Amino acid sequence: MRPHHTIYSLVLAVFLFASCKKFVQIPPSPLQIAGSDVFADDQSATSALTDIFLNMSASGSGFSSINMTRLGGMYTDEMTYTRPQAAFQQFEAGHLSNDNSSVAGTWQEIYTYIYQANSVIERLAGNKAVSPAVNRTLTAEALFVRAYCYFYLANLYGDVPLVLTTDYIRNQKLPRTPVATVNAQIVSDLKASIGGLGPDGGAGHRVLPSDWAARSLLARAYLYDGDFPNGFLYADSVIRSGLFPLASSLANVFLAGSPEAIWQLAPYSDAIADTWEGYSFAPTRATVIPQYVLNNYLMNAFEPGDKRKTTWTGVNTVSGAAYYYPYKYRSRQHTGTESHMVFRSAELYLIRAECAAQTQNTAGCIQDLNLLRSRAGLAPLADTTDAGFCLQAVMQERRVELFAENGHRFFDLVRTKTADAVLGPEKTNWTTDSKRWPVPLAELKTNPALVQNQGY
Amino acid sequence: MLFSNRGKAPLWPHMWKVVKLTVFFLTIGLLHAYASGNAQQVTYSGKDIPLATVFSAIEKQTGYVFFYRTEDLSAAKPVTVAFRNTKLADALDACFHGQPLNFVIRNKTVFVTAAEPTTVPSSETTNALATDTAVLPSGLRGRVTDSLGAPLQGANVLLKGTARGTTTDTAGYFELSPVRAGAVIVVSYSGLETQEIKVRVRSSLAITLSHKYSPLDEVQVIAYGTTTKRLNTGDVSTVSSKTVGDQPVADPLAALEGRVPGLIVTQTNGLPGAAFNVQIRGQNSLINGNDPLYIVDGVPFGFANADLQLSGGAVGNQSPFRVINPGDIESIEVLKDADATAIYGSRGANGVILITTRKGRAGKLKLDLNVNTGFGQVGKEVKYLNLQQYLAMRHEAFANDGATPDPAVDYDLLAWDTTRYTNWQNVFSSNSSRYDDDEIGLSGGTAQLQWLLGGNYHRETTVLPSSLANYRNGVRLNIFSTSLDKRFTLSASANYSNVQLNLPVADLFGAANLPPDAPYPVDASGNLVWSENGGSYENPFAYLRQKYNGNTKNLLSSLLLNYHLLHGLDVRLNAGYTETHVLQTSEFPLSSQNPAYNPVARANYDQAGYTSWTLEPQLSYNDTIGGLKLALLLGATFQQDLNQGNSVIASNFTSDALLANLGAAANVSTASYYDLYRYDAAFARATANWENKYILNLTSRRDGSSRFGPGRQFADFGAVGAAWIFSEDRFFKRMPVLSYGKLRASYGSTGNDRIGNYNYLDTYSADYGTYNGVSGLAPTRLFNPDYAWEANRKAEAGIELGFFRDRLVLMASYFNNRSSNQLLQYALPSQTGFTSVLENFPALIENRGWEFTLTTANIRTRHFTWTTTANLTAASNKLVAFPGLDSSSYAYTYVVGQPLSLMRVFHYKGIDPATGLYSFTGTDWPTDLTDYKDIIVNYYGGINNHFSLNSWQLDLFFQFVKQNGRNYIASSGHNPGTPYNQPSDVLKRWQRAGDNTDVQRFSQDYNGFQSYVNYAYYSGGPVTDASFIRLKNVALSYSFPASVTRRLCASSLRVYATAQNLLTITGYRGGDPETQSLSTMPPLRVITGGLQITF
């Protein structure tokens, strides 16, 4: 072999093999971004976090956009679905099977958001590529979302796996964590988020959670947990900020930019309607039976003259029968006039009132209730020192103020331990175990460490 | 090496005997042959013996025969010899020393000729008369060509009885020095007759090797080279250009059905352009790609390998192979075992199909014209109920259910004219499709440059009541060039084709079950009819007005550069580039849609661009050291495939006339796709061939694929293949009937990377819309850098036997392929944020089976020949292990120890005698899926008989498949009794208690429907034998004699007739046993006639 041939061949071979490794490291698809690149600048990092709100708003069966409202409504004494749907019929009957699609879907949806929030928190920790201000806000928003998600998980399913990282190899084996630990995490996440979330975006621009939304959720969490002094404190701080006065007219409460809105889920850009509630609840024509019909239990709960009954419910008469439907949201189109309400100050008044009654501040309680009563055109309640009466009045007021709104009725009945007494007689299949939803069957199958709730 | 030192190893001789004896007795059993004498050694002595006497003694001892003219021998001197176990060749050398004679040995025959003239039978050897044994002063030079004059590169030239030798260069030349006059050189080339030539004085030899007539010596294309069946250590099946060309098919894959053991090819639809399912040796991967790797002229056919889903309108999925004209194909090779496929590394798990196209040849200018035309029709119709039977079925259903027809739905009984009878199947498929195929080829060349220019045109209509026609137009150019000094060669080819598919958007055949009294689809003025007397229906003719148009433009090009560096060493570059553009539109004009549903004019567009390139630098070294032929190959591969495109859905067009104008659509939504794949590898192959007797082949490849995460991108694959051609062994040469015998075995590993791109990354992709003005980025999957190749280990052993000078060749092989490390969607609890992640599972799948090929030349006379070629495959598939199956998402799909084709089904208990409905032990899904049924092909194959009588040639090919399938009840989609027509087989339905049948009572209500659904889809009830024997192909041709062609100034003229799917014999109830569906067009029976003329 002639020497120069050998050298050429060797040089060629070395060159070729050295380039092999680089060759198969391909650039990412222009249609997708690798996780490491998402958190390399402010804009895409913001998009990663915003995707949570985008999906909460865009999903026609999202827990935050409509499902808590309608599933909670059907599971209690608020509403009935008038079309055949086996999964929904289980809610109305008061007993859910462990493979109920809505039960499974809710669990899955919420944990998807938790993964996204965890991934934002992890990737932003110590991240210098994202500017400090954006980093702080996004991290706070992710903490808030995580708390918000765990709040619903814990109140629906009881003990749930507390997943705080994105490491699926570890996370897939996590067992259920006691509710108390989950609640502690909720409180700590919310406290950590306060100060980092943006200030109130101003009336008409409250589409992202602010520090006030975190305080509102804290107030609610403390109330549910029975920590009334803290509940009072946080509810009071939101009300006393003066940023969220009650809307003077009931018709304006659910509009985009409602003065009493603390956090609203705005319709996403491609939405077919302002809210999924408006789209689903408001009937297409006056002559059809609405899809979701309000039960007589609820309709009879309104005091005579309550303007909330006339303003926030509608009625279709078909073949001589009246069918009432939720009408807080009226728009079936995407016009930008309405936004789905997540937190509004009326709830904060009710939280403050309840915490006041629980701490023997009956006057404060009555005062807050009368604010809502007077807006609804009802006579004020007389002052009393009877805390028991006050608590009952709070529950009555919550029932008619917050009906068909994010499942309040269900959570209220469960946390005040009145669910069995109220729903037992009304529902054919209700059992004392119905207060907790079952852990979805698919989760039990894929994670042997999970244990089913009693009664399922 | 393994064999050369066998004398030294103490154990080896004993084992060697055992192996020899085993093979020997195997052969004996088949042959009833005997052995005697010692084949190649001579013991004889005497003084001044006449040559003829010595020859007859040698004949007796060796079985060799001497051919000579007595007068030639009379000039010879008597010889004095003393042979004692002397090698035949040496003995002959001694006898011929100083004689005025030449001799040549071919096939155990010694041809003896007078030294002047120097002609050797059927060769053009020119030798000068030898007078002494001096060393030739300037060595021996020569050139080796085949009988057509084409130079043979790589022919072996060996100095007999020594280890010295050389191989010919690209132009067929060789040089050997020093050489003594009187020495014998052995010139061999695979596929051609070996010649022995005695060297006289200084000479220049022109050696012509003639073609052997053994099927074993036909050239076989393998990875990065060629070999012959005889010398191949791997398992490769070749389908010849004749086999492909004899079949009136537009898609090369269609020509493979039943032809190759181990290969299952299934047509999915009888309409033009439909895809084929192709599987080599079973399903290796649970959920990932099971398609073979396709290579065209050494370049991966990226378009086919990319698993592109081309919608294809009515055919559902379009075959990418339609861009290749079957007439351009020289051969198709199917590579099956590890030895043949391991060099393709990660891409070779599912076998490899090599397509080689025709090349030009040196010689005079040649013009080839081939014109072919014919028709196609539905071969096997389904017998549906006629009008009276249909109406009786409906009335019986209502009577059974105790119900009366409902004016709101039962239009067939209440609204329509119940005296009108339309046989819908006839309406849709009684037409004949037209088939035209024309080809033109111009070729020629010199020793330096050979070229071929070809064009082809194909047109095919459908059997539908429509004038839609489908086309392919193609041109190709092929050039082979050699430099003057013969060191450099260039081979380039380019093939461009344009395929135009024009089909309805849906297969109308599915509407054959319309009620026979349904309104006729078009009224007198040509408008679509949507209802009659208030009874509406889905008008099937709407599909004829909803057109699918698919336009594929494809360029396939390849380049091979070779430079001969020095003795035996070549440097080579193989490059390929393919580009495919697909433009598809499906139009739904307003006028084709039912006005009752407030339709809008809409159209779908799909635009895909696919480019792929490869670069493969290689070094090859060939040398012969004594009896050892060594071939080394070292190379690297770089490959990139890029697929990108857009799908557009547009609606609310202002006018039906503007469906091609996107601007006229009010609503437009677009989706983009992008896939980049890169692959590189370094590979090496070493082949050692000891006297064509022992062959060892080692291959290894280090592979990198962009489909895996960092650290997992590279893996090693390799194989070892060995063959022992025992018929070359003296021991077996004593058996007169055995002309060929080979034992071969191979073992090795390949991988499967057909798992999609980017799947290891935790990618984010854009969600639709924005929130608060900000777009959303959603995580699409978990980060899993650890996933890696699916590994496939292939083991194979084979025996190949040729008898009666290879007139009967039998090949049998056993394979056992085990694939593991399966990449599956591992189900996750959603608390992880996802419901699954792609992971490697230790699931193990085994495919094993036997493959047989038998080729016999039954009759071979001067005027008449009859040859039979048959193949048979019996294979099975088994899920050997799947740890954690029960907790995985595949728990109700697979069963360990059972084939993957198994179905988990409800236990079917027959028809309930009381209700007349199908009954089951339980119908809770999935817990009652307790029964198993297997939809599997048990064995399959084909038999071809070729007859040739003077200028007539006839081929008859039968394909057979023994398999289970699901009967028409599973594919009809509707419960008998509902307003859909049924095959007349339903007349044997249950009517009264005691009826023993598998069709439940006619019913139109929910109970009947539910029971039918459970039966048809979730139980094993409809699983039935779907075996068939098909007269797949008949080809008859006649070649005109020279007296006729001369008058036309042509060199050949041939007329022919071919038929495809002529006859099907099956017990399968319902549609075609291959497509097993009532709603898709069955494979057509195509009959064509044609004329081929060469000038």
Side-chain angles (χ1 to χ4, degrees):
Chain A
M1 190 185 261
R2 272 172 259 170
H4 64 273
H5 283 316
T6 321
I7 292 164
Y8 288 158
S9 309
L10 282 174
V11 168
L12 185 72
V14 167
F15 168 74
L16 290 175
F17 296 133
S19 55
C20 277
K21 272 208 157 148
K22 276 199 177 148
F23 184 72
V24 290
Q25 284 160 21
I26 56 169
S29 159
L31 309 180
Q32 292 179 324
I33 307 177
S36 49
D37 296 331
V38 169
F39 296 91
D41 63 72
D42 289 2
Q43 197 190 339
S44 56
T46 307
S47 286
L49 187 278
T50 305
D51 192 69
I52 300 172
F53 300 129
L54 176 63
N55 280 307
M56 280 184 177
S57 166
S59 170
S61 58
F63 87 99
S64 194
S65 65
I66 183 168
N67 259 13
M68 281 304 98
T69 300
R70 63 177 175 185
L71 298 178
M74 290 184 292
Y75 203 34
T76 56
D77 47 11
E78 286 186 333
M79 63 177 82
T80 305
Y81 188 59
T82 57
R83 312 285 195 264
Q85 224 275 33
F88 285 1
Q89 278 159 6
Q90 290 182 4
F91 281 91
E92 287 158 9
H95 184 77
L96 304 170
S97 67
N98 60 10
D99 60 352
N100 183 290
S101 56
S102 292
V103 170
T106 304
W107 176 289
Q108 193 181 323
E109 183 200 3
I110 296 180
Y111 271 112
T112 304
Y113 299 145
I114 289 173
Y115 173 85
Q116 288 182 273
N118 283 335
S119 115
V120 171
I121 294 164
E122 274 178 9
R123 297 265 196 180
L124 288 182
N127 185 323
K128 300 275 186 271
V130 174
S131 69
V134 172
N135 190 325
R136 183 151 187 255
T137 308
L138 295 180
T139 303
E141 283 177 346
L143 287 167
F144 172 83
V145 165
R146 187 162 78 181
Y148 178 68
C149 287
Y150 275 117
F151 176 82
Y152 280 96
L153 275 179
N155 281 293
L156 290 171
Y157 300 93
D159 301 347
V160 288
L162 185 61
V163 179
L164 301 172
T165 68
T166 58
D167 176 7
Y168 77 90
I169 293 174
R170 208 179 137 261
N171 292 345
Q172 63 178 323
K173 299 188 179 104
L174 286 183
R176 300 172 67 175
T177 307
V179 167
T181 315
V182 176
N183 284 343
Q185 184 68 41
I186 291 170
V187 168
S188 104
D189 279 352
L190 288 172
K191 285 188 171 164
S193 76
I194 292 172
L197 295 166
D200 157 49
H205 202 74
R206 288 161 175 169
V207 298
L208 292 175
S210 60
D211 283 349
W212 304 110
R215 288 169 180 273
S216 302
L217 183 53
L218 260 180
R220 195 199 281 175
Y222 280 128
L223 170 73
Y224 278 32
D225 215 15
D227 184 346
F228 303 113
N230 266 322
F232 186 93
L233 205 67
Y234 279 96
D236 187 54
S237 75
V238 175
I239 294 165
R240 293 220 304 193
S241 73
L243 294 166
F244 312 101
L246 290 177
S248 50
S249 159
L250 289 174
N252 296 340
V253 170
F254 297 96
L255 295 183
S258 159
E260 70 179 272
I262 299 166
W263 177 33
Q264 288 180 307
L265 263 186
Y268 81 118
S269 58
D270 297 3
I272 52 171
D274 285 344
T275 66
W276 287 105
E277 285 143 322
Y279 183 77
S280 306
F281 295 160
T284 47
R285 291 190 302 272
T287 52
V288 298
I289 298 175
Q291 285 192 66
Y292 296 86
V293 168
L294 292 172
N295 292 342
N296 285 337
Y297 301 119
L298 172 66
M299 295 314 292
N300 296 339
F302 287 104
E303 292 170 51
D306 191 332
K307 287 197 279 185
R308 288 173 292 205
K309 182 176 179 178
T310 46
T311 316
W312 288 348
T313 74
V315 64
N316 266 10
T317 306
V318 181
S319 308
Y323 296 93
Y324 291 92
Y325 53 86
Y327 208 36
K328 286 179 168 174
Y329 302 94
R330 301 174 170 205
S331 167
R332 282 186 55 85
Q333 257 84 46
H334 185 182
T335 59
T337 50
E338 292 174 348
S339 273
H340 171 82
M341 191 68 78
V342 188
F343 288 105
R344 59 184 175 108
S345 57
E347 186 198 345
L348 277 294
Y349 281 104
L350 288 165
I351 293 173
R352 189 169 73 174
E354 189 171 344
C355 291
Q358 290 283 9
T359 50
Q360 309 308 317
N361 175 4
T362 51
C365 172
I366 296 294
Q367 195 184 340
D368 280 346
L369 292 182
N370 282 344
L371 270 173
L372 295 175
R373 289 178 63 84
S374 97
R375 179 169 72 169
L378 296 176
L381 297 172
D383 267 344
T384 173
T385 53
D386 183 348
F389 170 81
C390 283
L391 285 173
Q392 271 200 339
V394 168
M395 290 317 290
Q396 161 63 19
E397 212 57 41
R398 286 186 73 96
R399 186 179 187 185
V400 292
E401 176 71 28
L402 300 176
F403 79 91
E405 219 181 312
N406 301 328
H408 277 292
R409 175 70 175 158
F410 171 65
F411 298 124
D412 286 345
L413 288 174
V414 173
R415 71 180 171 85
T416 57
K417 301 186 171 53
T418 49
D420 291 333
V422 173
L423 301 178
E426 294 173 3
K427 301 209 169 268
T428 47
N429 296 335
W430 185 267
T431 73
T432 53
D433 297 320
S434 296
K435 295 188 285 288
R436 292 274 177 254
W437 287 8
V439 178
L441 185 63
E443 309 299 331
L444 294 169
K445 273 188 182 171
T446 47
N447 180 4
L450 294 181
V451 180
Q452 184 56 280
N453 277 331
Q454 198 184 322
Y456 293 100
Chain B
M1 297 302 122
L2 186 59
F3 304 117
S4 61
N5 64 357
R6 65 181 191 265
K8 294 173 194 166
L11 257 179
W12 185 243
H14 179 65
M15 281 174 61
W16 190 239
K17 252 180 215 160
V18 173
V19 176
K20 275 182 177 176
L21 284 172
T22 310
V23 175
F24 174 65
F25 285 118
L26 271 175
T27 319
I28 282 289
L30 287 155
L31 280 181
H32 317 290
Y34 66 97
S36 78
N38 191 331
Q40 273 193 301
Q41 292 187 2
V42 181
T43 302
Y44 186 81
S45 59
K47 201 164 184 256
D48 290 327
I49 316 281
L51 266 188
T53 314
V54 182
F55 289 174
S56 72
I58 294 175
E59 279 186 350
K60 278 192 191 132
Q61 290 188 22
T62 62
Y64 276 52
V65 179
F66 285 76
F67 270 77
Y68 53 86
R69 294 190 305 175
T70 321
E71 57 266 39
D72 289 343
L73 230 55
S74 65
K77 296 175 287 185
V79 291
T80 300
V81 293
F83 300 142
R84 195 192 165 109
N85 288 337
T86 307
K87 280 188 180 166
L88 172 67
D90 295 340
L92 290 175
D93 274 349
C95 291
F96 282 88
H97 183 74
Q99 303 276 15
L101 297 169
N102 278 339
F103 75 93
V104 170
I105 301 174
R106 211 172 311 114
N107 274 339
K108 294 194 168 187
T109 304
V110 184
F111 294 93
V112 182
T113 54
E116 280 205 70
T118 55
T119 316
V120 175
S122 76
S123 85
E124 292 164 18
T125 315
T126 52
N127 286 9
L129 187 70
T131 53
D132 59 40
T133 58
V135 172
L136 299 176
S138 61
L140 179 71
R141 292 166 193 275
R143 184 168 190 244
V144 182
T145 55
D146 69 8
S147 51
L148 297 168
L152 294 171
Q153 179 196 354
N156 283 304
V157 181
L158 190 70
L159 207 54
K160 192 161 184 183
T162 72
R164 290 202 299 119
T166 183
T167 53
T168 54
D169 64 14
T170 50
Y173 287 94
F174 71 90
E175 230 184 292
L176 203 59
S177 174
V179 177
R180 277 180 181 281
V184 174
I185 58 163
V186 180
V187 183
S188 62
Y189 189 86
S190 71
L192 301 177
E193 296 275 10
T194 298
Q195 272 197 39
E196 296 191 3
I197 296 146
K198 192 164 183 181
V199 178
R200 300 295 171 173
V201 289
R202 185 167 71 91
S203 61
S204 178
L205 296 176
I207 301 156
T208 303
L209 300 185
S210 56
H211 286 271
K212 283 186 195 175
Y213 293 101
S214 167
L216 298 168
D217 293 311
E218 281 163 18
V219 175
Q220 249 185 353
V221 181
I222 55 168
Y224 307 104
T226 58
T227 180
T228 61
K229 188 85 215 170
R230 184 186 299 275
L231 299 179
N232 200 341
T233 47
D235 194 336
V236 176
S237 299
T238 300
V239 177
S240 69
S241 59
K242 179 182 169 358
T243 303
V244 177
D246 271 354
Q247 304 185 63
V249 293
D251 192 309
L253 294 182
L256 299 178
E257 280 192 70
R259 302 281 179 170
V260 178
L263 173 73
I264 298 183
V265 177
T266 318
Q267 191 170 356
T268 56
N269 193 304
L271 286 168
F276 290 80
N277 292 327
V278 180
Q279 215 171 61
I280 297 175
R281 291 185 168 173
Q283 182 183 349
N284 295 309
S285 175
L286 277 178
I287 61 164
N288 295 302
N290 276 292
D291 291 324
L293 171 72
Y294 297 99
I295 309 264
V296 178
D297 285 337
V299 177
F301 186 26
F303 181 38
N305 295 331
D307 304 322
L308 288 190
Q309 298 292 311
L310 299 174
S311 75
V315 295
N317 210 348
Q318 198 184 126
S319 170
F321 284 88
R322 218 174 156 78
V323 300
I324 298 177
N325 173 26
D328 290 340
I329 290 174
E330 179 67 40
S331 70
I332 299 177
E333 262 82 13
V334 181
L335 279 50
K336 293 179 280 196
D337 70 336
D339 181 61
T341 60
I343 201 157
Y344 292 106
S346 62
R347 304 167 300 173
N350 303 316
V352 183
I353 293 184
L354 306 179
I355 297 177
T356 310
T357 62
R358 289 176 195 271
K359 309 283 186 286
R361 288 189 176 213
K364 73 179 188 78
L365 186 65
K366 204 172 106 178
L367 175 67
D368 200 69
L369 289 173
N370 191 352
V371 182
N372 182 2
T373 184
F375 63 95
Q377 50 186 210
V378 171
K380 187 176 184 299
E381 296 208 325
V382 182
K383 196 165 180 288
Y384 278 93
L385 298 178
N386 65 26
L387 177 67
Q388 286 69 33
Q389 290 168 328
Y390 170 80
L391 293 174
M393 170 186 79
R394 290 281 285 150
H395 289 301
E396 185 177 321
F398 279 103
N400 284 342
D401 297 338
T404 50
D406 178 354
V409 285
D410 297 311
Y411 309 131
D412 58 325
L413 298 179
L414 301 174
W416 299 338
D417 176 0
T418 54
T419 63
R420 173 184 47 212
Y421 175 37
T422 310
N423 182 334
W424 291 108
Q425 187 175 230
N426 279 354
V427 170
F428 301 139
S429 62
S430 63
N431 286 6
S432 286
S433 68
R434 180 75 197 270
Y435 184 99
D436 289 293
D437 198 272
D438 305 321
E439 289 168 36
I440 183 167
L442 195 61
S443 65
T446 63
Q448 252 72 52
L449 179 73
Q450 293 125 47
W451 55 271
L452 180 150
L453 180 65
N456 65 79
Y457 166 82
H458 180 85
R459 179 181 184 273
E460 199 177 340
T461 62
T462 68
V463 298
L464 301 172
S466 156
S467 59
L468 294 171
N470 302 275
Y471 301 91
R472 178 190 53 238
N473 305 298
V475 287
R476 59 189 226 94
L477 177 67
N478 184 286
I479 292 172
F480 176 81
S481 173
T482 316
S483 67
L484 274 176
D485 67 357
K486 323 282 181 205
R487 294 178 82 98
F488 177 72
T489 61
L490 174 154
S491 163
S493 74
N495 182 348
Y496 177 82
S497 59
N498 183 345
V499 170
Q500 188 87 36
L501 280 189
N502 293 297
L503 295 167
V505 295
D507 189 347
L508 263 68
F509 209 70
N513 64 1
L514 274 177
D517 64 341
Y520 200 75
V522 278
D523 63 17
S525 49
N527 294 320
L528 294 178
V529 173
W530 294 104
S531 71
E532 181 181 71
N533 295 330
S536 62
Y537 82 126
E538 284 308 309
N539 188 327
F541 276 36
Y543 299 127
L544 294 177
R545 302 182 185 199
Q546 298 174 354
K547 285 175 190 149
Y548 163 82
N549 174 281
N551 187 353
T552 306
K553 294 187 175 74
N554 184 69
L555 172 74
L556 279 173
S557 63
S558 66
L559 177 72
L560 180 65
L561 305 175
N562 191 90
Y563 187 73
H564 182 65
L565 281 174
L566 48 142
H567 171 77
L569 184 67
D570 286 56
V571 59
R572 202 176 292 156
L573 179 70
N574 189 4
Y577 178 74
T578 55
E579 184 167 325
T580 310
H581 288 277
V582 184
L583 191 66
Q584 303 183 94
T585 58
S586 298
E587 298 182 344
F588 303 86
L590 203 53
S591 62
S592 73
Q593 301 184 60
N594 191 340
Y597 302 144
N598 301 324
V600 293
R602 61 195 172 88
N604 301 342
Y605 307 88
D606 199 60
Q607 197 175 7
Y610 186 88
T611 54
S612 165
W613 59 259
T614 56
L615 275 182
E616 300 195 301
Q618 293 161 50
L619 273 176
S620 82
Y621 180 74
N622 292 287
D623 203 358
T624 305
I625 305 156
L628 181 70
K629 216 187 314 176
L630 208 57
L632 301 172
L633 176 72
L634 200 65
T637 302
F638 294 89
Q639 180 187 339
Q640 171 176 305
D641 295 0
L642 175 62
N643 175 35
Q644 52 186 335
N646 296 301
S647 298
V648 177
I649 298 173
S651 59
N652 290 82
F653 283 86
T654 47
S655 159
D656 278 357
L658 294 174
L659 289 183
N661 180 357
L662 206 51
N667 298 342
V668 175
S669 73
T670 310
S672 300
Y673 50 93
Y674 178 98
D675 273 298
L676 178 66
Y677 169 51
R678 281 210 197 129
Y679 167 87
D680 61 16
F683 57 89
R685 179 169 65 195
T687 311
N689 176 339
W690 178 256
E691 291 186 332
N692 281 357
K693 205 191 286 184
Y694 309 110
I695 305 168
L696 183 68
N697 193 34
L698 301 169
T699 48
S700 86
R701 188 169 185 118
R702 179 155 179 84
D703 246 26
S705 165
S706 63
R707 289 177 177 152
F708 299 97
R712 299 280 172 171
Q713 284 162 332
F714 289 86
D716 299 310
F717 303 95
V720 52
W724 172 36
I725 303 175
F726 57 83
S727 51
E728 294 295 313
D729 197 284
R730 279 175 308 185
F731 184 74
F732 292 97
K733 283 204 167 174
R734 282 179 292 185
M735 283 190 279
V737 265
L738 180 78
S739 49
Y740 167 67
K742 178 166 86 173
L743 272 180
R744 60 177 173 77
S746 70
Y747 181 77
S749 69
T750 57
N752 187 5
D753 76 343
R754 310 196 90 172
I755 53 161
N757 295 300
Y758 306 113
N759 281 341
Y760 66 91
L761 282 174
D762 61 331
T763 47
Y764 282 67
S765 55
D767 260 334
Y768 287 105
T770 60
Y771 182 81
N772 192 29
V774 178
S775 59
L777 281 172
T780 36
R781 64 180 87 85
L782 288 162
F783 183 56
N784 180 9
D786 293 333
Y787 84 11
W789 321 81
E790 288 189 355
N792 194 299
R793 285 182 203 293
K794 302 176 178 177
E796 158 145 353
I799 182 163
E800 301 174 3
L801 300 169
F803 305 109
F804 314 110
R805 302 190 66 181
D806 299 345
R807 280 183 66 168
L808 187 156
V809 176
L810 173 70
M811 300 185 177
S813 51
Y814 173 77
F815 66 91
N816 186 320
N817 295 350
R818 292 189 149 215
S819 49
S820 60
N821 217 25
Q822 293 285 321
L823 263 177
L824 296 175
Q825 287 294 343
Y826 175 75
L828 289 175
S830 47
Q831 67 195 58
T832 57
F834 287 84
T835 52
S836 68
V837 65
L838 204 53
E839 276 198 352
N840 289 98
F841 270 57
L844 183 67
I845 297 164
E846 180 186 70
N847 281 290
R848 60 179 172 171
W850 285 92
E851 293 170 5
F852 302 95
T853 309
L854 179 70
T855 309
T856 60
N858 306 324
I859 297 176
R860 196 157 72 192
T861 67
R862 238 183 98 195
H863 299 288
F864 181 68
T865 59
W866 169 28
T867 52
T868 303
T869 311
N871 74 81
L872 169 70
T873 306
S876 65
N877 168 285
K878 191 163 91 173
L879 179 63
V880 177
F882 194 150
L885 175 64
D886 289 344
S887 60
S888 81
S889 55
Y890 305 94
Y892 291 102
T893 317
Y894 301 118
V895 181
V896 171
Q898 297 290 331
L900 301 180
S901 51
L902 170 118
M903 300 192 313
R904 297 279 299 261
V905 288
F906 296 146
H907 180 67
Y908 172 59
K909 289 199 304 182
I911 288 177
D912 184 331
T915 62
L917 299 177
Y918 299 125
S919 66
F920 313 89
T921 44
T923 56
D924 280 340
W925 196 92
T927 45
D928 283 327
L929 296 172
T930 52
D931 223 356
Y932 310 145
K933 282 286 174 183
D934 195 7
I935 306 284
I936 194 170
V937 176
N938 300 103
Y939 56 84
Y940 58 93
I943 301 172
N944 191 65
N945 277 292
H946 172 78
F947 305 93
S948 157
L949 175 63
N950 293 324
S951 303
W952 289 92
Q953 295 212 41
L954 173 67
D955 278 272
L956 291 171
F957 177 68
F958 286 92
Q959 177 199 8
F960 58 87
V961 177
K962 172 83 175 71
Q963 64 180 358
N964 278 339
R966 280 143 64 82
N967 69 18
Y968 74 93
I969 293 179
S971 67
S972 88
H974 300 284
N975 177 26
T978 51
Y980 297 93
N981 204 352
Q982 298 282 343
S984 57
D985 194 65
V986 301
L987 291 175
K988 65 181 191 193
R989 80 285 184 195
W990 185 94
Q991 283 170 288
R992 60 195 67 81
D995 282 357
N996 186 15
T997 173
D998 61 354
V999 182
Q1000 71 172 0
R1001 71 167 162 83
F1002 291 153
S1003 169
Q1004 49 76 56
D1005 74 357
Y1006 180 78
N1007 287 334
F1009 165 76
Q1010 193 54 48
S1011 162
Y1012 160 79
V1013 166
N1014 287 334
Y1015 176 81
Y1017 301 116
Y1018 303 121
S1019 94
V1023 174
T1024 170
D1025 187 84
S1027 308
F1028 64 93
I1029 298 174
R1030 184 168 272 172
L1031 179 50
K1032 189 80 189 163
N1033 178 254
V1034 179
L1036 176 68
S1037 74
Y1038 173 74
S1039 299
F1040 285 89
S1043 56
V1044 176
T1045 54
R1046 225 176 290 130
R1047 242 175 287 155
L1048 295 164
C1049 300
S1051 62
S1052 76
L1053 173 65
R1054 193 172 77 98
V1055 290
Y1056 59 91
T1058 60
Q1060 198 78 353
N1061 301 326
L1062 205 52
L1063 185 75
T1064 304
I1065 304 161
T1066 181
Y1068 179 73
R1069 288 154 56 195
D1072 186 87
E1074 185 174 345
T1075 49
Q1076 292 180 26
S1077 165
L1078 288 177
S1079 56
T1080 56
M1081 186 69 70
L1084 296 189
R1085 175 191 296 147
V1086 177
I1087 298 172
T1088 70
L1091 181 146
Q1092 185 177 23
I1093 186 162
T1094 308
F1095 297 97

